[in-house]
Amino acid sequence: MENWWKKAVIYQIYPRSFKDTNADGIGDLQGVIEKLDYLQKLGIDAIWLSPVYQSPMIDNGYDISDYLTIDPSFGTMDDFECLVSEAKVRKIRVLMDLVVNHTSDQHKWFKEARQTLENPKRSFYIWRDQPVFNDKNWTFDPLTQQYYFHLFSKNQPDLNWENPDVRSEIHKMMEFWLKKGISGFRLDVIDLIGKIPDENITVNGPKLHEYLQEMNREVFVGNDLLTVGEAWSSSPELAKLYSAPNRHELSMVFGFWHILTSAGEGNKWNYLPLNVPKLKQALSAWQEIAPDEGWNSLFWGNHDLPRLVSFWGELSDKYREKSAKAFAILLHLMRGTPFIYQGEELGMTNFPFEKFSEINDIESLNFVEDKRNMGWSDEKIMDVLRKMSRDNARTPMQWDGSEQADFTTGQAWLEVNPNHRKINVMLALENQQSIFYTYQKLIALRHEQAWLYTATYELLDSSDEIFAYLRKTENQTFLIVANLSNHENTFVSNFRKKAEIISTESFPSALTEIKMKAWDAFALEVE
Ligand code: TEU
Ligand code: CA
């Protein structure tokens, strides 16, 4: 049987910012339920829910204090069960976000662990008498006079995966969620779980794949799940280790090579503008993964990344929508499973942050502190945050043009983008030319057209700003071309047009020399 997720499109929901139903300013599970009809209209197959577990919310739920409880700000376990069943009625599956590299320091395991050196939970975490290698990864705990290890904030102590009891607790917890009827997991920072702090190994530790194979045997087998690991450190070669069918680990990973083309010296704060030749290289390298070697995920955004149109597209009224469509067409006709981040289908943009008080994200706040200490001006810091802060992706979903964009009737936890008066779901649904309908069509294509998951991929030579590729099956060829710039570019080929698939505006008639206008993109069957 073909895996369902090879023909599926996934929609990521950041519940805190999706839809609030009880006026506390925080999106909740009832809000997700309320919007399932909207998601069904878009046509997606599954939602990935960012964490909704009990959490002190130091990192908005990526710091879990109880894996088996829904945080009251999101609702109750009844709400969760209701969500799964209401989604199922609409043929939408639910994927949970699994944060198992670390817990919150408020988790009962950690609270017990820190009590005494002999506590049975002590070795659920990583303790040393002094920091090893990186001081910033170790925090002194006065009670037992030792340091504990954390790759993220000091409120997110790393679990000790070398301890088999940790692993079996996690497997049990995963089964608990499977019994609730979910269809898979997104595994947060999964490339970190094999760490060996004493040898300064954080990513890609020697036992990483062993742990995943064990998890697969214990939890995944026979459940027909989509499992996707977040792996910033992954290359296409490493992606095969995670996702080759005969290795029995995960369905796929999120690789970030394309995103990192905008990170100067690998540092995300060091923003580099869109570089199309580099983007071609990065995405194409991942497209080379053949179906028997592994599987790929396709995405432009998530809750950690800036908004696509602000990052690489265009904000002008003239081209915002068209640039969003061009990127959508370019990505969704590639090989892999597409993921859409909430609001991407509207072309939502970054937020015009002016004051530090408008920033909530822990990563951004740490950045502010760091740079102030280094003597950066507040102005310069703000400039970088406007471009790269994770809060750009986390402002409330824009449902309509009213005061709080119909996200809440209270005060939104993070300010609604003032552009919600012109960028919102209501307007998008009324306009047949909107970005929403381009996404709707791309999702329908993914379901109808088998070549999308069977065909090979081949990058075509073209001028720098044009991204063109072929998808080929034994008897069909498809040509996808996007002009990723705001001026005219020429694309030359010797194909003949056979059938029209999708375009941002119009289709070329002759393919020998195509004058592509700003942000033109199209896909054709050719011969
Ligand atoms: O992010 C992984 C991670 O490494 C982040 O630091 C990432 O590099 C950064 O967000 C990019 O701006 C995951 C989650 O997606 C993120 O929200 C969490 O904060 C982090 O893990 C810790 O759980
Ligand atoms: Ca709420």
Side-chain angles (χ1 to χ4, degrees):
M1 190 196 65
E2 261 317 325
N3 301 108
W4 64 270
W5 39 264
K6 291 196 172 175
K7 301 174 204 170
V9 180
I10 319 301
Y11 187 91
Q12 183 191 351
I13 293 182
Y14 197 68
R16 200 177 178 76
S17 303
F18 196 58
K19 172 71 188 170
D20 175 26
T21 57
N22 64 348
D24 65 354
I26 298 173
D28 42 54
L29 291 171
Q30 283 299 334
V32 180
I33 295 170
E34 199 178 301
K35 295 301 181 183
L36 285 171
D37 288 339
Y38 167 73
L39 298 175
Q40 188 180 24
K41 178 160 179 137
L42 183 58
I44 49 100
D45 301 270
I47 53 179
W48 145 27
L49 273 189
S50 275
V52 290
Y53 317 91
Q54 183 185 295
S55 164
M57 304 287 169
I58 296 286
D59 191 11
N60 287 351
Y62 287 86
D63 49 326
I64 299 171
S65 56
D66 184 351
Y67 288 105
L68 307 180
T69 306
I70 299 291
D71 192 86
S73 61
F74 295 125
T76 63
M77 193 58 85
D78 280 349
D79 294 332
F80 181 81
E81 285 167 5
C82 176
L83 169 60
V84 174
S85 66
E86 286 296 314
K88 192 166 181 193
V89 172
R90 295 165 180 81
K91 301 204 163 51
I92 296 175
R93 301 168 188 260
V94 177
L95 314 177
M96 290 296 266
D97 207 321
L98 200 69
V99 189
V100 291
N101 174 69
H102 46 271
T103 67
S104 159
D105 61 353
Q106 299 307 306
H107 194 288
K108 65 172 190 260
W109 297 339
F110 191 73
K111 285 185 174 171
E112 284 175 34
R114 73 199 307 179
Q115 292 312 314
T116 60
L117 297 173
E118 295 76 33
N119 189 286
K121 289 286 179 299
R122 184 75 177 178
S123 57
F124 267 44
Y125 297 87
I126 301 164
W127 301 89
R128 296 291 180 269
D129 290 329
Q130 60 257 317
V132 193
F133 293 103
N134 256 321
D135 284 4
K136 72 170 188 1
N137 294 134
W138 297 91
T139 292
F140 185 65
D141 204 28
L143 213 59
T144 51
Q145 301 280 308
Q146 278 193 326
Y147 292 80
Y148 63 89
F149 183 73
H150 53 88
L151 285 167
F152 294 89
S153 81
K154 67 177 187 337
N155 305 106
Q156 292 161 296
D158 277 41
L159 282 166
N160 176 18
W161 273 72
E162 286 185 49
N163 182 343
D165 294 340
V166 166
R167 305 202 301 274
S168 83
E169 281 295 333
I170 285 168
H171 300 157
K172 273 199 287 192
M173 173 276 281
M174 293 171 81
E175 268 155 25
F176 169 89
W177 290 103
L178 288 180
K179 286 210 190 83
K180 304 245 173 246
I182 66 158
S183 301
F185 299 99
R186 175 260 187 192
L187 299 96
D188 193 62
V189 290
I190 204 62
D191 52 348
L192 304 180
I193 62 171
K195 72 194 73 90
I196 307 185
D198 297 317
E199 295 171 30
N200 203 14
I201 296 175
T202 52
V203 297
N204 301 314
K207 290 201 172 152
L208 165 62
H209 294 284
E210 197 180 295
Y211 296 152
L212 289 174
Q213 285 167 13
E214 180 188 58
M215 184 185 282
N216 186 301
R217 278 196 311 275
E218 298 291 324
V219 186
F220 301 163
V221 166
N223 282 321
D224 195 19
L225 305 177
L226 186 167
T227 52
V228 51
E230 183 203 28
W232 280 83
S233 66
S234 188
S235 61
E237 280 312 306
L238 291 174
K240 293 177 192 174
L241 297 180
Y242 292 97
S243 66
N246 62 7
R247 289 178 52 88
H248 304 286
E249 295 187 19
L250 304 177
S251 315
M252 64 192 95
V253 291
F254 290 125
F256 289 86
W257 277 17
H258 59 309
I259 301 295
L260 289 167
T261 60
S262 272
E265 284 130 33
N267 174 358
K268 79 166 219 170
W269 301 111
N270 228 338
Y271 172 78
L272 303 175
L274 174 65
N275 179 324
V276 184
K278 276 198 186 157
L279 181 66
K280 288 190 228 183
Q281 270 177 20
L283 284 173
S284 300
W286 285 76
Q287 286 294 300
E288 310 276 292
I289 301 172
D292 61 333
E293 295 175 318
W295 191 251
N296 203 4
S297 67
L298 304 168
F299 66 96
W300 292 129
N302 66 33
H303 63 292
D304 294 334
L305 301 174
R307 290 286 180 177
L308 173 62
V309 284
S310 303
F311 194 50
W312 283 343
E314 208 154 316
L315 292 170
S316 68
D317 284 343
K318 194 159 175 212
Y319 292 127
R320 181 185 57 88
E321 295 187 83
K322 201 173 172 194
S323 66
K325 291 179 193 173
F327 279 110
I329 291 171
L330 178 70
L331 189 76
H332 278 246
L333 301 182
M334 290 186 173
R335 182 159 66 188
T337 299
F339 288 73
I340 301 167
Y341 180 66
Q342 69 183 40
E344 180 183 330
E345 77 280 19
L346 309 174
M348 276 177 64
T349 70
N350 281 2
F351 188 93
F353 295 110
E354 291 288 347
K355 302 183 294 258
F356 292 121
S357 60
E358 291 165 334
I359 302 278
N360 170 281
D361 168 37
I362 182 177
E363 187 195 49
S364 301
L365 294 173
N366 287 339
F367 175 79
V368 175
E369 195 189 308
D370 263 23
K371 296 301 160 189
R372 274 188 164 163
N373 288 340
M374 287 169 62
W376 283 31
S377 72
D378 284 0
E379 217 172 305
K380 186 169 169 197
I381 297 174
M382 255 354 257
D383 251 9
V384 178
L385 291 179
R386 268 192 292 272
K387 202 72 206 172
M388 292 307 297
S389 170
R390 306 198 295 187
D391 281 336
N392 285 304
R394 301 176 180 186
T395 62
M397 180 73 175
Q398 296 165 203
W399 296 104
D400 71 18
S402 65
E403 199 49 48
Q404 301 262 342
D406 198 34
F407 164 69
T408 180
T409 53
Q411 181 55 49
W413 72 277
L414 194 63
E415 216 178 306
V416 177
N417 195 311
N419 66 19
H420 72 276
R421 298 197 188 275
K422 61 169 209 250
I423 303 174
N424 63 57
V425 169
M426 202 169 112
L427 291 175
L429 293 179
E430 281 166 6
N431 171 10
Q432 286 303 316
Q433 308 310 318
S434 70
I435 304 166
F436 176 91
Y437 290 108
T438 296
Y439 273 90
Q440 187 191 55
K441 172 130 198 224
L442 287 166
I443 296 164
L445 284 170
R446 179 73 43 182
H447 298 149
E448 290 154 12
Q449 310 246 342
W451 64 271
L452 278 171
Y453 56 93
T454 57
T456 60
Y457 170 94
E458 191 183 309
L459 180 70
L460 289 177
D461 266 341
S462 61
S463 58
D464 276 359
E465 291 168 327
I466 290 202
F467 195 144
Y469 61 91
L470 292 180
R471 301 286 315 270
K472 282 187 191 164
T473 66
E474 248 164 62
N475 40 34
Q476 285 181 298
T477 302
F478 299 88
L479 170 68
I480 296 93
V481 188
N483 177 9
L484 299 182
S485 79
N486 62 6
H487 45 263
E488 196 175 279
N489 269 300
T490 307
F491 178 71
V492 181
S493 85
N494 45 26
F495 293 105
R496 284 190 309 143
K497 174 160 144 182
K498 231 177 131 184
E500 296 178 345
I501 311 276
I502 190 169
S503 72
T504 46
E505 263 177 27
S506 55
F507 291 96
S509 38
L511 305 187
T512 41
E513 195 178 299
I514 309 166
K515 294 255 176 280
M516 297 191 67
K517 294 193 296 304
W519 300 106
D520 266 346
F522 65 81
L524 297 170
E525 185 180 351
V526 296
E527 53 188 4

